[in-house]
Amino acid sequence: AKALRRRDESYKFYMPLSDKKFLDLINEPLEGLVKVSFNNSQEILSNCEIGIITSGTATLEASLLRTPCVTLYKTGWLSFRLIKPLLRIDNFSLPNLLAGKELLPELLQDEVNVENIINAIEKISLKGLDYYYKEFHDIHENLKAGSSETAAKEISHLID
């Protein structure tokens, strides 16, 4: 947030949390930089232009709310080294898996750093929000059409 604000003072940052206990995980003061709120992630996502989100269902929620996002995933070093060779997928975020391509930028493990996050946000900005709105519309339509069967097939391909 600090680095992005230095680039563009008009940026505003919001951090919706599900519980106040998560504030204990933050090691820096947020006052004046990030507005923290609780139990309103959908409201925040629907009012944002771009999100920076950890991998999981929140990325799918963002795409359903038509908010492009950078997806971050970082785990313990040993866990990553053990799991990485077993992964047989090109993308890990739910919107990208549903789109069948890298629609949104993903940063995995050592790629998660300030410079890469800024570059990913710029990548989204360069493509433009209209591009993502169209792609998200396509994802919505695909989810409506035989979604249970499609999900089962996709999961089956990942397990095989």
Side-chain angles (χ1 to χ4, degrees), residues 8-80:
D8 186 338
E9 290 184 17
S10 70
Y11 279 134
K12 294 182 176 119
F13 301 95
Y14 301 89
M15 184 183 302
L17 299 173
S18 60
D19 195 300
K20 288 186 180 191
K21 68 183 177 186
F22 294 116
L23 284 173
D24 295 338
L25 300 172
I26 301 167
N27 298 323
E28 294 188 39
L30 300 175
E31 295 85 22
L33 183 62
V34 178
K35 182 176 169 51
V36 177
S37 59
F38 301 96
N39 298 312
N40 64 343
S41 62
Q42 289 183 355
E43 179 185 341
I44 296 295
L45 278 171
S46 66
N47 288 310
C48 288
E49 287 186 26
I50 299 174
I52 302 170
I53 303 175
T54 56
S55 182
T57 56
T59 60
L60 178 59
E61 189 174 37
S63 67
L64 294 174
L65 293 168
R66 292 177 170 77
T67 304
C69 63
V70 178
T71 303
L72 312 176
Y73 185 81
K74 193 168 186 172
T75 189
W77 177 85
L78 182 59
S79 296
F80 180 74

Side-chain angles (χ1 to χ4, degrees), residues 86-139:
L86 303 175
L87 294 178
R88 291 180 272 155
I89 55 175
D90 294 327
N91 301 105
F92 62 88
S93 72
L94 291 173
N96 288 350
L97 291 170
L98 290 169
K101 62 183 178 182
E102 186 174 317
L103 170 62
L104 297 164
E106 301 174 335
L107 300 174
L108 182 62
Q109 204 64 14
D110 296 334
E111 298 170 342
V112 179
N113 62 52
V114 172
E115 182 179 335
N116 287 342
I117 293 170
I118 290 172
N119 289 338
I121 289 171
E122 288 176 351
K123 182 178 176 182
I124 290 172
S125 295
L126 285 173
K127 283 192 175 182
L129 297 179
D130 288 339
Y131 167 79
Y132 292 101
Y133 295 157
K134 185 217 173 290
E135 293 287 336
F136 294 151
H137 175 76
D138 293 346
I139 289 172

Side-chain angles (χ1 to χ4, degrees), residues 98 143 146-158:
L98 290 169
L143 287 173
S147 58
S148 298
E149 185 177 314
T150 302
K153 284 180 185 177
E154 289 300 318
I155 291 169
S156 174
H157 289 301
L158 293 174

